[in-house]
Amino acid sequence: MYFKKATLDDIDTIIDILSDGRNQLAEAGVNQWQGDYPSRNQITEDIMGGSAYLFNEDDHATVGAVAVVPSPDTTYDTAKATWLNTTEPYRVIHRVAIHSSKAGHGYATQLFEKMIDHIIRRHPEIKSIRIDTHADNLPMQHLIAKMGFERVGEMVGVYHQDDVCYVYEKLIK
């Protein structure tokens, strides 16, 4: 398994994976990503900013997508959080999805492991990683906690009005 930095040639693949993720969430009754987020414009910005990645199997088949965004991230400007790291650079994980055709094979855990390792190896200046997820997205909350992130707060209405998201952070040693 490996990451590949996405290019504009990959935009339709990312849109497909995130749309599939939106459908998975809807089927589970989670109101996350059920509107215009993440949009094609957001994905284009991720790619142009060098933040978008594809997660591939060793045979190069794409199984997932993720954005790894540098600090500061204005998404968290209104979060009510007790951050573990308040002064040093951090990275933020956004827009994580594994295609449903690959569900149930541990790919989400592998994506997180590889992504955290990628951040640590490529960015030794980074002191923490942040992530958030919808209050109803119990599988993602479980995965985030399993990967050593600590819930540090919440934010309301950032992606859609009245949506509650939990905010997490993991210190990098």
Side-chain angles (χ1 to χ4, degrees):
M1 304 300 291
Y2 67 94
F3 279 104
K4 169 188 165 261
K5 192 169 272 203
T7 68
L8 287 175
D9 290 339
D10 300 312
I11 193 163
D12 290 333
T13 300
I14 295 171
I15 298 281
D16 178 57
I17 291 168
L18 296 179
S19 294
D20 181 75
R22 177 181 290 120
N23 292 340
Q24 291 177 64
L25 290 165
E27 288 171 12
V30 177
N31 195 32
Q32 186 174 1
W33 293 3
Q34 298 308 303
D36 58 353
Y37 177 89
S39 68
R40 186 175 195 89
N41 287 342
Q42 178 67 62
I43 306 313
T44 301
E45 286 178 27
D46 287 345
I47 292 169
M48 298 304 291
S51 299
Y53 293 85
L54 296 173
F55 188 56
N56 297 332
E57 293 178 301
D58 291 338
D59 67 0
H60 310 297
T62 300
V63 299
V66 62
V68 180
V69 179
S71 59
D73 185 346
T74 58
T75 302
Y76 298 123
D77 284 355
T78 61
K80 292 182 175 89
T82 304
W83 298 112
L84 305 175
N85 165 30
T86 59
T87 60
E88 301 293 330
Y90 59 89
R91 286 287 190 267
V92 180
I93 299 167
H94 281 303
R95 297 171 282 287
V96 178
I98 299 292
H99 197 278
S100 61
S101 65
K102 301 295 183 175
H105 299 288
Y107 286 124
T109 298
Q110 290 179 57
L111 181 144
F112 266 78
E113 290 169 347
K114 298 275 186 190
M115 182 174 33
I116 291 167
D117 182 62
H118 171 84
I119 292 168
I120 291 169
R121 281 187 300 102
R122 301 249 174 138
H123 302 284
E125 76 283 5
I126 297 304
K127 301 304 178 199
S128 69
I129 303 171
R130 297 178 181 179
I131 188 169
D132 63 87
T133 193
H134 196 281
D136 294 337
N137 192 341
L138 300 180
M140 182 58 83
Q141 290 175 42
H142 172 77
L143 178 60
I144 291 168
K146 175 176 139 179
M147 300 312 301
F149 286 79
E150 182 179 329
R151 187 169 145 191
V152 295
E154 69 179 40
M155 53 190 189
V156 178
V158 172
Y159 301 107
H160 288 101
Q161 186 177 356
D162 300 325
D163 272 359
V164 175
C165 292
Y166 297 140
V167 181
Y168 298 80
E169 189 171 26
K170 176 184 178 82
L171 290 176
I172 303 298
K173 311 262 188 258

